[in-house]
Amino acid sequence: MKGVIMAGGKGTRLRPLTCNMPKPMVPMLHKPVMEYGIELLKKFGITDIAVTVHYLPDAIKNYFGDGRDFGVNLHYFVEDSPLGTAGSIKNAEEFLDERFIVISGDALTDFNLEKGIQFHEDKESLATIFMKQVDSPLEYGVIMTNQEGKIIRFLEKPSWNEVFSDTVNTGIYVLEPEVFNYIEKDVPVDFSKDLFPLLMKEDKNLFGYQAEGYWSDIGSLQQYRQSHYDMLNGLVNLPFAGEEKEPGVWIGENVFIEDGAVIEAPVSIADGAVIRKGSHIGKLSVVGKNSVVSSGSSLKKTVLWNDVFVGDQCELRGATIANGTKVEKDASIFEHAVVGNHCTIGKNATLKPDVKIWPEKEIFEEALVHTSIVWGKKATKSLFGSRGVSGIANVEITPDYIARLASAYGAVLPYGSQIIIASDSHDFSVMIKQSFIQGLHSSGVHTVDISPTVAPVVRFSIEEERLEGGVYVRFSNPTGEKQLMIEFYDNKGLPIHSDLERKIENAYWQEDYRRASFDRIGKGVVQANKHEDYISALLEEIQEKGIQEAKFRVVVNYNHQPYLNFIPNLYNRLNCEILTAPYQTKPEEMASFVRVTNANIGVLIGEAGETLRLITETGEVLDEETMLALYVFTAFSQGKQKEMAIPVYGSSALDSIAERLKGKLIRTKANPRSIMEVGDGVLNYQYDAQYAFVHILEIMAMQKITLSELVEMLPDVHMLREYVPCPKDKKGRVMRRLMEDIRDNNVELLDGIKVFHPEGGWTLILPDVEQPVFTVYSQNTDPEQAKQAASQYIEKIQLYQQV
């Protein structure tokens, strides 16, 4: 049997450690991580090995050669351009003429390969994936198998609302040569995104083997550090370099430790290292070959590579220092700081937590370094959340951060593109917008500023002008969190796809910015009339004269800022009498105001101009479910729409409305893009308060009915909704256990887990994309049964967090 080691990775998330080193060569306890993979294959008798390389291939070839020094035979296959994980294996097709096993050159594992190979053989599988349970499955391919181990569901890098298990693809595969029939030559093909879904579609024998043992994808600086700690703590069954002189203390050859030095297990000190008197090598520290730790210096949970010099009285806490770096006297380097090759950290300099220093940089004496040199630091979470990029104003979202984000966005847009950019009226939003514009211009992207405005106008303008995309910046502070939100839209005015989000993130972390020449930078223009165009488009959709004749009295509650000034203009055009309530008046107070003034309708508009809640003339505040039913009724009642998207948790009673009015409901994921993709254009009931409002007014005017009478025409759409706290690192486990429980039930996995009960009704378990919480929806004609069903799953969610 032959083996394959995929060793083409750049390791961009490991920078600055991988600025001049391929990811498989990053050292783990003094050996390249790929060396552990070679040793594992050899342990199970696999010595004829193909190595696929792309980034800095000579570094790998020069170290391992033909493999004879490691007891194996290595055959290299070079990708001139990236071909994807499966495409790279296709390059070695002639060599791989028998069953073979694929492992990643940048993963650390002690799996028993023999057991997985035997499982593959017993199942007569075409492809077998080694699987492992992890706390946070978001960065991996999530897998679900049936009781025989055949893979029945596979999703690459899901968001939390898509996670159905904590069992993931480890990137270790046993494959038959016939698999090459499904891989096109010289074309980028990925195992997870392309090949495995194809094999499932054609119902081929694709199995998952539940492996036991340790596995770590060395994909981030955090995981790199943690893997060192795991090895030192004895969690990895792999041979260490050096001799264990005393429990937990591994010492290499020719190590010189002076009397008076303190060594605190577990630690690993490599060949030729020098530890001076009075120094302290604290637990979970690693000292590389020929490195020197001088008198009075203290290391805790720190990883030093080779030839690192640490001067007297230095303090290193949770740091990672690459080859050849000099840390001079009295310097301090704190948690999660990373220093690249051949840097100099001057006397009494301080590197604050999370700082990254790129190779060959010099930090001067007594410098206090808060930010990375030369490029930005990696945040602990992805840039994008459920609605673009957000953070605390002038703390997490700062002008320099935004300039880099804009440059990353500009890098993924075609040169010379024109996009719309806008903000609300808040001073901080305007400042951030200006920073964003400058970042785009530097990358050769042109901008059209239509501020101040709201998100629906931005989306409308992108579609109308047929531009490349858009960005909307707004300040959000309804509960005092002082958040700044940046939302991105594509050339159809829709929130950008997750694939584009990842491209922007990759450009940001890789600092892959495009800088236009000084005479070809982007240019900006300002257009102040887009509100009028938007209002005209709304009025063209409705029977304007009929609404004008109705002379509705409207109580409205919205943020009285310039970016929302178009709202009274729209109402005036419809001949509405406007009564305004102070911003952030509570709904109950608004309801009283509506009744007292004999208004026809009360309107509460969200701060972004997207969300709408209505109050009837009798003072009833309509809840979210009733508003959705009202949208469905309005959309179909006049035959203007043939189909409409609703979230997967939408009440089943909505189907009766659609069926009665000859419309079609399409249930989608509960996110703006999925909702907006259905239908013609970006004008949308659920994310455009003005669009929804004028259409509801039209129904009331044309049918000469009150809002209360309109609501009475709707079926009962209420359902039970409960929130269950759950730590993020337990969500995957909970989802897997739930899926195991309901394996034989009628289940829909469009968004979360929706279980249809045999006696009628359903329950939806939906993990929040960002927050540590599950939302449990339950619907049944019998409210008590809905409550019982919800309680059952709430108890399971609480239980599975603990076990």
Side-chain angles (χ1 to χ4, degrees), residues 373-584:
I373 308 296
V374 165
W375 293 284
K377 65 181 179 180
K378 172 73 165 73
T380 56
K381 60 179 181 179
S382 60
L383 292 180
F384 286 85
S386 59
R387 292 296 300 268
V389 177
S390 64
I392 302 172
N394 225 23
V395 176
E396 297 172 320
I397 303 292
T398 60
D400 56 323
Y401 168 81
I402 288 300
R404 296 194 302 272
L405 177 62
S407 296
Y409 179 43
V412 304
L413 293 172
Y415 183 86
S417 299
Q418 188 174 44
I419 73 158
I420 280 178
I421 184 163
S423 71
D424 60 20
S425 312
H426 196 280
D427 290 342
F428 189 77
S429 302
V430 174
M431 181 182 75
I432 291 299
K433 177 196 66 178
Q434 294 298 337
S435 296
F436 208 106
I437 288 173
Q438 301 311 317
L440 288 173
H441 287 176
S442 72
S443 63
V445 174
H446 307 298
T447 59
V448 180
D449 185 353
I450 64 170
S451 306
T453 191
V454 292
V457 176
V458 175
R459 296 193 294 263
F460 163 79
S461 300
I462 294 168
E463 185 180 46
E464 183 186 49
E465 299 287 343
R466 299 183 179 180
L467 301 185
E468 192 67 33
V471 174
Y472 182 59
V473 180
R474 64 184 178 93
F475 186 78
S476 177
N477 193 35
T479 56
E481 72 274 26
K482 298 180 176 61
Q483 292 278 308
L484 200 285
M485 324 281 290
I486 303 111
E487 298 175 2
F488 294 74
Y489 304 107
D490 64 15
N491 59 359
K492 296 180 181 178
L494 301 175
I496 61 173
H497 194 277
S498 58
D499 289 345
L500 184 55
E501 290 180 350
R502 288 196 177 102
K503 288 181 180 179
I504 296 171
E505 287 184 343
N506 288 339
Y508 182 90
W509 301 135
Q510 297 173 29
E511 288 79 31
D512 189 12
Y513 307 145
R514 179 182 65 221
R515 298 301 183 201
S517 60
F518 75 94
D519 54 348
R520 299 187 68 198
I521 62 173
K523 296 179 174 59
V525 297
V526 176
Q527 292 185 3
N529 61 345
K530 282 303 172 184
H531 285 141
E532 288 302 316
D533 295 343
Y534 170 71
I535 289 174
S536 297
L538 293 182
L539 297 180
E540 287 177 4
E541 292 256 339
I542 58 174
Q543 299 181 56
E544 181 181 352
K545 187 176 180 180
I547 298 176
Q548 290 172 340
E549 292 174 350
K551 296 181 180 179
F552 290 110
R553 175 178 288 183
V554 179
V555 175
V556 61
N557 173 12
Y558 69 96
N559 192 348
H560 292 274
Q561 296 294 324
Y563 77 104
L564 291 173
N565 280 348
F566 73 96
I567 290 177
N569 294 339
L570 171 62
Y571 291 9
N572 286 330
R573 289 278 295 271
L574 294 172
N575 198 27
C576 293
E577 180 184 351
I578 306 171
L579 304 174
T580 60
Y583 180 50
Q584 293 185 339

Side-chain angles (χ1 to χ4, degrees), residues 170-218:
T170 66
I172 301 175
Y173 315 125
V174 183
L175 304 171
E176 298 296 327
E178 289 79 11
V179 79
F180 290 119
N181 297 333
Y182 302 90
I183 306 173
E184 191 173 349
K185 189 172 179 59
D186 297 326
V187 172
V189 180
D190 187 80
F191 278 118
S192 297
K193 292 182 180 178
D194 305 309
L195 180 61
F196 296 149
L198 176 61
L199 296 181
M200 291 177 63
K201 182 179 178 181
E202 300 198 4
D203 198 27
K204 300 299 179 181
N205 277 351
L206 177 64
F207 281 83
Y209 169 68
Q210 189 69 57
E212 296 180 357
Y214 183 87
W215 172 79
S216 173
D217 171 30
I218 314 297

Side-chain angles (χ1 to χ4, degrees), residues 50 98 107 165 207 257 306 340 359 415 451 454 484 617 623 643 711 738:
E98 59 184 80
S165 176
F207 281 83
I257 302 177
N306 299 337
Y415 183 86
S451 306
V454 292
L484 200 285
E617 76 286 356
D623 58 24
E643 59 184 25
V711 171
L738 289 173

Side-chain angles (χ1 to χ4, degrees), residues 255-455:
V255 172
F256 182 59
I257 302 177
E258 292 184 346
D259 291 341
V262 176
I263 310 296
E264 187 178 0
V267 297
S268 176
I269 302 174
D271 300 351
V274 176
I275 312 297
R276 298 294 185 187
K277 64 181 178 180
S279 61
H280 180 192
I281 310 300
K283 61 177 62 175
L284 300 176
S285 290
V286 176
V287 180
K289 293 179 181 178
N290 304 314
S291 290
V292 176
V293 180
S294 300
S295 298
S297 287
S298 171
L299 276 60
K300 291 183 180 178
K301 300 182 76 172
T302 288
V303 178
L304 305 183
W305 287 13
N306 299 337
D307 303 303
V308 174
F309 175 82
V310 178
D312 293 341
Q313 306 298 325
C314 291
E315 183 181 9
L316 277 63
R317 299 287 182 266
T320 305
I321 314 294
N323 295 333
T325 284
K326 181 180 181 182
V327 182
E328 296 185 344
K329 181 180 179 180
D330 292 317
S332 299
I333 304 177
F334 291 109
E335 283 79 5
H336 306 161
V338 182
V339 182
N341 291 338
H342 303 291
C343 291
T344 298
I345 310 301
K347 295 178 182 177
N348 207 32
T350 299
L351 304 188
K352 301 296 280 184
D354 294 310
V355 163
K356 294 192 293 186
I357 308 297
W358 253 240
E360 301 181 12
K361 300 295 182 293
E362 182 176 357
I363 306 300
F364 296 110
E365 294 182 12
E366 300 186 1
L368 179 60
V369 183
H370 292 273
T371 59
S372 297
I373 308 296
V374 165
W375 293 284
K377 65 181 179 180
K378 172 73 165 73
T380 56
K381 60 179 181 179
S382 60
L383 292 180
F384 286 85
S386 59
R387 292 296 300 268
V389 177
S390 64
I392 302 172
N394 225 23
V395 176
E396 297 172 320
I397 303 292
T398 60
D400 56 323
Y401 168 81
I402 288 300
R404 296 194 302 272
L405 177 62
S407 296
Y409 179 43
V412 304
L413 293 172
Y415 183 86
S417 299
Q418 188 174 44
I419 73 158
I420 280 178
I421 184 163
S423 71
D424 60 20
S425 312
H426 196 280
D427 290 342
F428 189 77
S429 302
V430 174
M431 181 182 75
I432 291 299
K433 177 196 66 178
Q434 294 298 337
S435 296
F436 208 106
I437 288 173
Q438 301 311 317
L440 288 173
H441 287 176
S442 72
S443 63
V445 174
H446 307 298
T447 59
V448 180
D449 185 353
I450 64 170
S451 306
T453 191
V454 292

